[in-house]
Structure formats: structure tokens, C-alpha cells
Amino acid sequence: MSLADDLRTIVRCEVDDSPATLDKNSRDASLFRVVPQVVVRAQSAGDICALVRYANGQKETPKAHVSLTVRAAGTDMSGGPLNDSIIIDTTHLNKLLELKDTEATVEPGMLFRDFDKETKKFGLELPSYTASREINTVGGMAANDSGGEKNLKYGKTARWVEELEVALADGELHLLKNLEGDALRAKLQEPGYEGDLYRKVSALVATPVHASVIAKNKPHVEKNSSGYALWDIGDGVHSLNLARLMVGAQGTLGIITKIKFKLVKPKPFSAMTIIFVRNLSQLGELVPEVLKYKPDSFESYDDHTFSIAMRYLPELAGQMKTGLIALGISFIPELLMALTGGVPKLVLIVEFRGDTQKEALERAEALMTEVKHNREHESVRVAKNEAASRKYWAVRRESFNLLRKKIRGKRTAPFIDDFVVPPATLPEFLPKLEKILSKYNLVYTVAGHVGDGNFHIIPLVDPHTPGLAKVIDELSHKVYDLVALYRGSITGEHNDGLVRTPYVGKMFGPEMLALFMEVKKIFDPQNIFNPGKKVGLTFSDAIAKLDLPK
């Protein structure tokens, strides 16, 4: 009996091992390809629990090769939802279960765009949405601890998760949330599987030597999706938040079946200050100058991104659902500036929101005035409302898709795509990074959350280039060595997956990596949940899974 036939006897939902389905699920938005044995389209949390029990039972057989990896929209850029065993497709678990006050409970397979439409009916928003907001799911946001253009003000997804319902290794559903004081003490005394789980995690983080390792090696930047967030789950004695540990765990500790989010009521009006930077050395003064005004968003894109946007204006107009002529006219000032003074090295877009249009505009104009006063020849302007800002957001959000779709003979290669360094170090860091990249014949774009020091570099590569796998590994080491020198993070929001798991030890050191491995063992002793992500993957293992001609 095949694995698919076996699974059809334990779940009522669709089990699919057709070649077309397996091929579709063998890729995400990363450079990897891993062909699964079967795809199960779960219809309920009960289906997922049954699959967990089955996988654990199979693992009792020596050398049994069965594991579970969750997949939703497949927009992950790290190889996170790829596995050669069972893929659990959660796109049918897509219901908004409750929307009450400023909280929403939702199934993980719901597309963010659909979730956002429902919350917006009540003037509410989940503010940690990503640039891929039109195509990603809320479950993917929680699994990766995603962030986006509003991170500067609102933080990443973990900040907005109140509770999680999770299928854990015992094959049962458990409600995870922050526990404090008497509630935690009661849980630590509770018999059974869940009590044991809390006791083990509590002992792990509360042990003085472990607490010292965690404090010493935790990330020194605001954004991080690498490793397990042991530094952010409480001390294990006064508080312990296993939901926070699960957010960002990329499905390696259990399978999320329900999420309760906190929501915010966003201010309705916006204006934007746009600063055209010709010399990266200016960032040292500009970044704190901008941050002083407490913007809602502080984003950037580079000269490569700007040039690609100008090259593909018709496609950009289509994405914006606006006329090509109108869009072209709106970009005339930027084109004239480029013709007379050259394309700026970096474009900074700084958004302010307010209860009135006047309030938002006054803040944007105040920043413009200061920038001009301090730098007489600096190019800076203000987009007075949301409509005027749309073209800048379109370039920032859509450049990656344009790059991926329009450059023939090459493909996007997100492998150094999400590092973070302290914003104050950018004037030193970026020229050193550019020097490293200049030694390789790569076309790439740089865009990012400059207010957080989080940048996305997406090279274009010809997959037939001899020695490409070696270049990817070599360049990754060089970039992550530089990131480590500035005490940054290898991933701010895209997570470890196949592409960065081999480098987790480089970022955190061997003692912290050992704690991560212990966390994995506590939650997943049989290694059935998304193996090879976060821990347990070597450089050679990852390179072997690259989707390159053999």
C-alpha cells in the first residue's frame, strides 16, 4: 500500500499524489525544489490531529520516513514549506471564526487580503502585513513571524498574536497563550502532556546557565525571525508564553490550527516625505533625523529598483490599476531629476498618518523642511495625500514581482534577502556589502525597511551558470559574516527555512544552537514537524536541494 492509500484510510479529506500536484508543491518562492510523496488538503483541525498521530505511529518503525510540513499560499522565500514526505495544504482552513471588539479569531489558511477586507469593515487592521499581502495567508504570517512596512510603529506579527490553537506531538489540540503568576504555577502543577511540556520549557529557560546563554546571544536588533525566540517568552517562573515560541517556529514545533489576533484602528489620512539620497554616507545623519519625527513607515528602495520600475511602467500601471499616461506624467519630476543629476543611490519614503489630512501633511512637511535646511542641495519632496503616495508604494512593493516576471533567462535568487543590522551602522555596512557584491556578476535590487535596518537583496541568476551553487554558499557566508560583525540578524522576517538554517549557528553560536535543538526535542521528539528547518540541516544538505540543473 502506498503512503497516499494509507492516508486515505485515516482522513476524510482529499489525498492527492498526482504528478502535477506533487510538482506544484515541490517549489515555493525560493531557489529550492523538494518533491513530496503526497499532499493532503486538510478540511478540519481533526484531519491535522489524525495526521500527527499517524506520523508518530509510523516513526515507531525503525527507519520510517514520514513527516509533516504545512503549506498554504506557497509565497515563502526560504524553502520553509518544502518536504519530501507529507505536505498538509491548509488553504481550505480559511474561515474568519470571530471578530469581536479589537480581536479576531481566524483559521490559518485564510488569505490576508480576505481577512483584511473583513476587518476593514469595522475600521480595524492587522498591521504586520507584508509586501505580499495580496497573496499570502495569515497562517504563514504567524509561522514566519512576518513583518512589513508598518513594523517601525507596530512591530511584527508576534506582537499581535494573543492565542494559538495548535496540534502538538501528542496528536491533540492545545490552546497556547501567555501565562503569568498563579495561572502559570497551576499549569506547572498540572498532570499530563501539556503540564509536562510547560515544565520542560520552564526548566530550560529558568536554569541560570541557560538564562545567561539566552541573554548573551539574543539578537541585538529590533527584527529577527531566526531561531526560536527563547528571549521573548518569559523567564519560566513568573511568566511563560508558548504561543510566542510557536510564532516564527515555521511549523517545526507543532501545527497551528487557529489564531487569535489583536487588531488596531489605523488613522485614516496619510502624507509622505520622499528623500532622494545620492551618497550612502548621508544615512548616518538622515536615519536618526527621520526617526525623531516618529513616522508610521520608513522604507527604501535602491537605484536598481528605481530603474526597473521606470523600465516597466506599463506593468506598474497595471498593478496600480491606473492609466499608463497618468502614471508616466506623475513620474516626470523623478525622470527629470535622473536625467539632470543621475539616478539616486537610495530613495527613502517616510509615511505619516493622522486623524486629519492636515495633521499628516504638517508632519511630512516639517521633516522636509529640516532635511532641506540641513542639506541645501538635497532632493526632497512631499506627497500630500494617499493618492500621491501610491506610485512610491507601488515601486517599493512590486519591484520584486517585476524582476521575477520580466527578466528573461534568469530567475530571482532570494538567498541573502532579509538581513538586519542596527540602523546607525548603515553608512558603514552598506558600502562594505556593496564591495562584496561587486565581486560577483549579479543583477540585483535592494529594498528594505531602512528604519529597522532590514534590507532585502534579490539577485537575478542564470540557473545554468557553472558553479552557481558554490557562489550561493560562498556569498552567503561572506554576507552573514559581515552581518555578524555588526551584531545583526540573518533574517528579519522571512525566516530560516532551507536557505538559512545552516547559518543559524553562525549567528547565535554553539551554546544557543544547542538550546534550540533542545526546544525541538521537547516539542517534537520524533522529528515529524517540518524537519530540517531551524535546526538539523547542513550546508551540503541545503545545496543538494537547490533547483538547479544537475
Side-chain angles (χ1 to χ4, degrees):
M1 183 180 287
S2 69
L3 177 59
D5 289 336
D6 217 6
L7 294 178
R8 290 184 182 103
T9 67
I10 67 163
V11 292
R12 297 179 180 178
C13 57
E14 186 178 2
V15 177
D16 190 346
D17 61 349
S18 65
T21 294
L22 300 185
D23 182 64
K24 178 182 177 182
N25 285 269
S26 70
R27 297 180 179 89
D28 55 1
S30 74
L31 264 178
F32 298 93
R33 182 170 187 258
V34 182
V35 181
Q37 294 183 60
V38 64
V39 175
V40 180
R41 298 186 177 95
Q43 299 281 349
S44 68
D47 290 333
I48 292 174
C49 289
L51 291 168
V52 172
R53 291 191 291 270
Y54 171 82
N56 263 326
Q58 291 297 302
K59 280 285 191 173
E60 293 173 3
T61 303
K63 298 183 180 180
H65 182 72
V66 177
S67 59
L68 306 169
T69 293
V70 175
R71 181 187 178 99
T75 60
D76 194 293
M77 298 170 72
S78 75
L82 305 183
N83 186 11
D84 61 1
S85 186
I86 302 170
I87 298 294
I88 302 176
D89 181 336
T90 59
T91 53
H92 293 294
L93 292 171
N94 57 13
K95 296 180 181 63
L96 177 60
L97 301 172
E98 185 177 38
L99 183 56
K100 182 180 179 182
D101 299 325
T102 56
E103 293 180 340
T105 302
V106 59
E107 292 180 323
M110 190 173 196
L111 289 165
F112 174 81
R113 67 178 187 233
D114 297 332
F115 180 73
D116 192 51
K117 287 177 185 175
E118 294 302 314
T119 61
K120 286 285 177 59
K121 291 176 182 178
F122 299 89
L124 298 170
E125 179 180 76
L126 175 62
S128 61
Y129 62 80
T130 68
S132 59
R133 53 175 292 155
E134 294 299 316
I135 53 176
N136 71 267
T137 65
V138 295
M141 292 171 65
N144 285 319
D145 189 18
S146 296
E149 62 201 39
K150 290 191 174 185
N151 184 83
L152 186 64
K153 181 172 183 177
Y154 292 106
K156 299 206 301 165
T157 298
R159 180 174 170 181
W160 303 98
V161 173
E162 288 277 85
E163 297 177 356
L164 294 176
E165 181 186 83
V166 183
L168 294 176
D170 63 342
E172 302 294 335
L173 297 176
H174 299 266
L175 185 65
L176 304 181
K177 59 183 179 179
N178 187 40
L179 296 180
E180 298 179 343
D182 290 342
L184 176 58
R185 284 188 285 273
K187 181 62 69 174
L188 292 173
Q189 296 298 317
E190 185 179 290
Y193 176 85
E194 194 171 301
D196 286 341
L197 195 67
Y198 274 87
R199 283 186 285 276
K200 289 176 182 177
V201 178
S202 174
L204 183 75
V205 298
T207 299
V209 65
H210 293 166
S212 176
V213 169
I214 293 167
K216 178 184 175 183
N217 295 289
K218 69 179 183 179
H220 288 80
V221 285
E222 291 297 320
K223 294 178 75 174
N224 172 71
S225 281
S226 187
Y228 296 117
L230 292 173
W231 51 88
D232 202 24
I233 65 170
D235 61 7
V237 177
H238 303 95
S239 66
L240 189 59
N241 189 350
L242 295 191
R244 174 64 189 96
L245 190 61
M246 198 66 58
V247 174
Q250 215 166 24
T252 60
L253 305 181
I255 298 176
I256 297 169
T257 56
K258 194 183 296 182
I259 311 164
K260 179 186 280 189
F261 287 115
K262 293 184 295 182
L263 305 172
V264 299
K265 189 177 285 289
K267 294 188 175 183
F269 297 95
S270 72
M272 178 185 288
T273 310
I274 307 98
I275 307 169
F276 301 92
V277 180
R278 300 195 181 279
N279 191 328
L280 293 179
S281 64
Q282 299 175 45
L283 287 176
E285 295 178 352
L286 271 171
V287 169
E289 201 168 283
V290 171
L291 292 176
K292 182 175 66 177
Y293 283 82
K294 300 187 183 304
D296 288 70
S297 301
F298 184 10
E299 301 287 290
S300 67
Y301 53 85
D302 72 336
D303 47 356
H304 301 287
T305 307
F306 181 86
S307 298
I308 286 171
M310 295 304 99
R311 183 177 174 183
Y312 295 111
L313 272 179
E315 288 79 4
L316 199 63
Q319 293 287 347
M320 292 177 62
K321 298 181 173 60
T322 190
L324 175 60
I325 294 175
L327 182 62
I329 290 172
S330 76
F331 270 112
I332 286 176
E334 284 77 15
L335 292 171
L336 289 174
M337 179 186 64
L339 290 171
T340 56
V343 177
K345 193 67 179 173
L346 208 62
V347 178
L348 307 182
I349 56 177
V350 188
E351 184 180 74
F352 299 93
R353 302 199 73 88
D355 293 315
T356 65
Q357 191 63 61
K358 180 182 178 183
E359 177 191 346
L361 184 57
E362 284 177 348
R363 295 173 68 198
E365 289 179 336
L367 174 59
M368 179 180 70
T369 299
E370 178 166 344
V371 172
K372 281 186 171 181
H373 179 266
N374 293 342
R375 295 162 197 82
E376 184 179 348
H377 302 293
E378 192 71 71
S379 296
V380 56
R381 59 177 55 112
V382 165
K384 294 184 177 182
N385 52 43
E386 195 149 0
S389 302
R390 285 184 65 210
K391 66 178 183 180
Y392 299 106
W393 279 126
V395 174
R396 169 65 183 87
R397 292 167 178 164
E398 298 300 332
S399 57
F400 172 67
N401 285 331
L402 289 174
L403 196 69
R404 183 173 58 180
K405 294 174 182 177
K406 291 297 178 180
I407 306 296
R408 302 300 178 189
K410 294 187 177 183
R411 59 179 293 189
T412 50
F415 62 95
I416 48 171
D417 54 293
D418 191 36
F419 58 81
V420 189
V421 293
T425 69
L426 289 174
E428 290 182 21
F429 178 88
L430 289 177
K432 291 178 181 178
L433 176 68
E434 193 169 42
K435 185 176 180 180
I436 292 172
L437 293 172
S438 69
K439 296 179 181 179
Y440 298 86
N441 186 25
L442 295 172
V443 177
Y444 59 89
T445 62
V446 179
H449 315 287
V450 66
D452 303 304
N454 180 204
F455 281 82
H456 305 306
I457 295 185
I458 312 291
L460 275 176
V461 300
D462 180 351
H464 295 276
T465 302
L468 180 58
K470 182 181 177 182
V471 169
I472 290 171
D473 188 35
E474 183 180 289
L475 186 52
S476 296
H477 274 290
K478 289 181 178 179
V479 171
Y480 294 146
D481 281 341
L482 183 64
V483 169
L485 182 66
Y486 285 88
R487 305 191 78 179
S489 169
I490 61 177
T491 174
E493 54 195 20
H494 294 173
N495 220 289
D496 294 315
L498 296 173
V499 74
R500 276 176 289 271
T501 290
Y503 304 91
V504 171
K506 179 188 287 286
M507 174 178 165
F508 288 99
E511 292 178 309
M512 191 73 142
L513 183 61
L515 293 184
F516 291 161
M517 294 175 73
E518 185 63 25
V519 169
K520 175 68 170 174
K521 184 178 178 182
I522 288 171
F523 278 84
D524 187 18
Q526 301 262 47
N527 198 27
I528 64 169
F529 293 126
N530 206 13
K533 322 294 164 46
K534 296 288 184 184
V535 295
L537 190 76
T538 66
F539 297 114
S540 58
D541 290 337
I543 292 297
K545 292 177 170 61
L546 287 171
D547 186 18
L548 302 176
K550 305 300 182 186

